[in-house]
Amino acid sequence: MKSLILFSIIVACGFVENVVSDNNQFPYKTILNFGDSVSDTGNSVTKEPFGANSPYGSTYFKHPAGRMSNGRLIIDFIAKAYGLPFLPAYLNLTKGQHVKQGVNFAFSGSTALDKSFFDQRGLDVPKAAYGLSTQFEWFQKLKPSLCTGKEDCATFFNNTLVLVGEIGGNDINAIIPRKNLTEVREFVPHIVQAIANMTSKLIEEGAVHLVVPGNFPIGCISYVLNQVNSNKTEDFDEFGCLRNYNAAIKYYHDQLKTAVDELRQKNPHVIITYFNYYSAARRLFENPEQYGFKGKPDTFKVCCGKGGRYNLNEICGLGNSVVCEEPSKHINWDGFHLTEAGYRAVAQGLLEGPYATPPLKTPPFKIPKE
Ligand SMILES: *[C@@H]1O[C@H](CO)[C@@H](O)[C@H](O)[C@H]1NC(C)=O
Ligand SMILES: *[C@@H]1O[C@H](CO)[C@@H](O)[C@H](O)[C@H]1NC(C)=O
Ligand SMILES: *[C@@H]1O[C@H](CO)[C@@H](O)[C@H](O)[C@H]1NC(C)=O
Ligand SMILES: *[C@@H]1O[C@H](CO)[C@@H](O)[C@H](O)[C@H]1NC(C)=O
Ligand SMILES: *[C@@H]1O[C@H](CO)[C@@H](O)[C@H](O)[C@H]1NC(C)=O
């Protein structure tokens, strides 16, 4: 009896060890990510300091960590769920650094469309210089370190998840203060085309598992609420989000989903997952308490800021902004970006809930509660 128990323990330990150390059991061995501040893990801070400033990173990393939140982002939770390290930022790579488990090309403030697109329309969007075209060039430069030759690259991409976004949010942000919603809608096909083009180019490079995310319900995002500062009850839905802005995002999503469908038809050997950020985030604003967040009237108040209707009179990291007492009870961190708790809830909805179509391969690990 005694030896049987001992035997079972040894077998059990051996099994656990095996699961943890045997990389073959992990559905993806590499993650490549493109996007903006929603998933930037350190690219933009190599060029400019904002975002590196305290109190960014303060809750989880205990110091600024190149991320535009108080802690981990959706991409961090995804990497961890698949047993992979946090993605190193491409611009922060050191010579000879291990890149085979993933690299992040996302750059805060960047756009789906090229800078020339905005220039032609008299819109000054400097970070568009780090948009999808630039991120694609970075990827092409790095590619020889990822795989070489047809066979090696086929095996490499068979085990690689490639995320094309979230991107496009800054294209919309760049237009919103200057254009009305009718004009915003006119930009939508261009943004969608840029994302579809990028996805196509990555498929040509060999990607076979891709993710294209939609965007957040911008009508529920504190920066937009603050910017519009409406006093008309008819502008808001029953949850306190701006109807028109969310309608514009839905319009954008319909086109994006159609573009993704077209890419699927053109490339039947490829799997493209659509991440429904909109619904995964919107449920938090609809039922904040159910997900552990503050209910009305604090649902839309940012954690890092100071004063005013949305706690946005002082911007996070500047002036006299302060960090709220319980960051995990706020959905929004600084106006634009979610808190780690907000991103965690969205990531859960994508990996463990119904907001990925088709779902990604089953992650070996659950998203941590803390
Ligand atoms: C940049 O790279 C250095 C050296 O590898 C590392 O210590 C630092 O944490 C990285 N920065 C970010 C934001 O990841
Ligand atoms: C890639 O995966 C597919 C299906 O999972 C398999 O049929 C194919 O042989 C794999 N190719 C390589 C080069 O590993
Ligand atoms: C939006 O702006 C355009 C160009 O300035 C104008 O022609 C149009 O009437 C505006 N639409 C609405 C709904 O305000
Ligand atoms: C997308 O690609 C097509 C074909 O290469 C090109 O004509 C078009 O300008 C591109 N559009 C965007 C927005 O990148
Ligand atoms: C809404 O009311 C507040 C307080 O009375 C005022 O400061 C703000 O300008 C009003 N917003 C608009 C869009 O009129």
Side-chain angles (χ1 to χ4, degrees):
M1 188 63 185
K2 216 176 183 179
S3 65
L4 187 63
I5 293 171
L6 193 60
F7 175 74
S8 309
I9 291 169
I10 291 168
V11 169
C13 290
F15 177 70
V16 170
E17 171 116 333
N18 211 24
V19 169
V20 173
S21 66
D22 184 357
N23 223 358
N24 287 328
Q25 312 227 3
F26 290 170
Y28 307 108
K29 291 183 185 168
T30 311
I31 295 179
L32 301 176
N33 183 73
F34 302 87
D36 60 23
S37 59
V38 171
S39 61
D40 184 352
T41 54
N43 280 306
S44 77
V45 295
T46 64
K47 302 262 182 210
E48 46 200 307
F50 185 71
N53 299 353
S54 189
Y56 284 84
S58 57
T59 302
Y60 180 76
F61 297 98
K62 312 294 177 199
H63 55 80
R67 289 161 174 79
M68 297 295 269
S69 183
N70 58 323
R72 290 161 290 181
L73 312 176
I74 296 169
I75 190 66
D76 294 319
F77 289 115
I78 293 176
K80 285 295 166 195
Y82 287 105
L84 296 168
F86 290 138
L87 300 189
Y90 171 77
L91 295 178
N92 194 39
L93 289 176
T94 47
K95 209 169 164 23
Q97 188 171 339
H98 184 68
V99 290
K100 295 242 178 175
Q101 286 185 294
V103 179
N104 195 351
F105 303 93
F107 194 100
S108 296
S110 72
T111 51
L113 288 158
D114 288 348
K115 193 165 181 310
S116 59
F117 178 92
F118 295 103
D119 289 346
Q120 281 160 19
R121 289 158 179 81
L123 297 166
D124 183 29
V125 187
K127 306 275 183 60
Y130 303 105
L132 285 181
S133 305
T134 303
Q135 293 178 29
F136 183 72
E137 284 168 21
W138 292 341
F139 161 76
Q140 284 188 309
K141 267 191 215 151
L142 188 73
K143 200 179 173 194
S145 311
L146 299 171
C147 67
T148 45
K150 212 172 163 191
E151 213 168 299
D152 183 36
C153 285
T155 308
F156 173 79
F157 281 111
N158 239 10
N159 299 309
T160 297
L161 184 66
V162 180
L163 294 101
V164 191
E166 177 279 325
I167 188 82
N170 291 315
D171 302 65
I172 295 169
N173 286 342
I175 311 163
I176 280 182
R178 296 166 247 205
K179 308 273 178 187
N180 64 37
L181 279 173
T182 311
E183 294 167 293
V184 170
R185 282 171 184 247
E186 285 165 15
F187 276 74
V188 164
H190 299 284
I191 301 169
V192 168
Q193 188 66 61
I195 296 172
N197 278 8
M198 177 72 166
T199 309
S200 255
K201 287 197 284 186
L202 290 165
I203 292 170
E204 275 168 39
E205 293 286 334
V208 288
H209 300 284
L210 300 103
V211 173
V212 176
N215 217 307
F216 292 98
I218 57 169
C220 311
I221 297 297
S222 308
Y223 163 79
V224 177
L225 287 160
N226 190 59
Q227 187 85 10
V228 175
N229 197 24
S230 171
N231 296 323
K232 297 189 203 130
T233 44
E234 66 268 27
D235 285 353
F236 297 93
D237 65 19
E238 59 188 304
F239 305 105
C241 301
L242 290 163
R243 288 173 199 283
N244 284 345
Y245 284 82
N246 281 347
I249 282 291
K250 281 207 160 151
Y251 175 79
Y252 165 63
H253 285 163
D254 287 342
Q255 296 200 14
L256 186 59
K257 283 190 265 187
T258 302
V260 168
D261 275 338
E262 282 168 14
L263 286 167
R264 286 175 181 143
Q265 273 158 27
K266 264 189 228 156
N267 305 281
H269 69 294
V270 168
I271 297 168
I272 308 176
T273 290
Y274 177 74
F275 268 179
N276 187 349
Y277 272 30
Y278 183 91
S279 301
R282 193 175 155 89
R283 67 195 170 133
L284 311 182
F285 298 105
E286 290 178 356
N287 289 301
E289 281 121 333
Q290 190 188 319
Y291 296 95
F293 299 107
K294 284 178 190 271
K296 278 178 188 159
D298 296 321
T299 311
F300 299 101
K301 284 209 173 121
V302 307
C303 170
C304 180
K306 195 177 181 190
R309 193 170 171 184
Y310 302 99
N311 201 30
L312 271 170
N313 283 0
E314 301 270 3
I315 300 294
C316 184
L318 302 175
N320 300 310
S321 71
V322 285
V323 176
C324 63
E325 264 171 37
E326 296 178 292
S328 70
K329 297 219 159 132
H330 287 258
I331 303 172
N332 200 309
W333 165 247
D334 61 358
F336 294 96
H337 309 100
L338 303 198
T339 55
E340 173 178 279
Y343 283 140
R344 172 194 283 111
V346 172
Q348 255 160 356
L350 300 171
L351 293 189
E352 295 163 15
Y355 302 110
T357 319
L360 296 185
K361 293 183 192 173
T362 313
F365 303 107
K366 288 246 168 228
I367 290 175
K369 289 202 172 67
E370 291 293 323

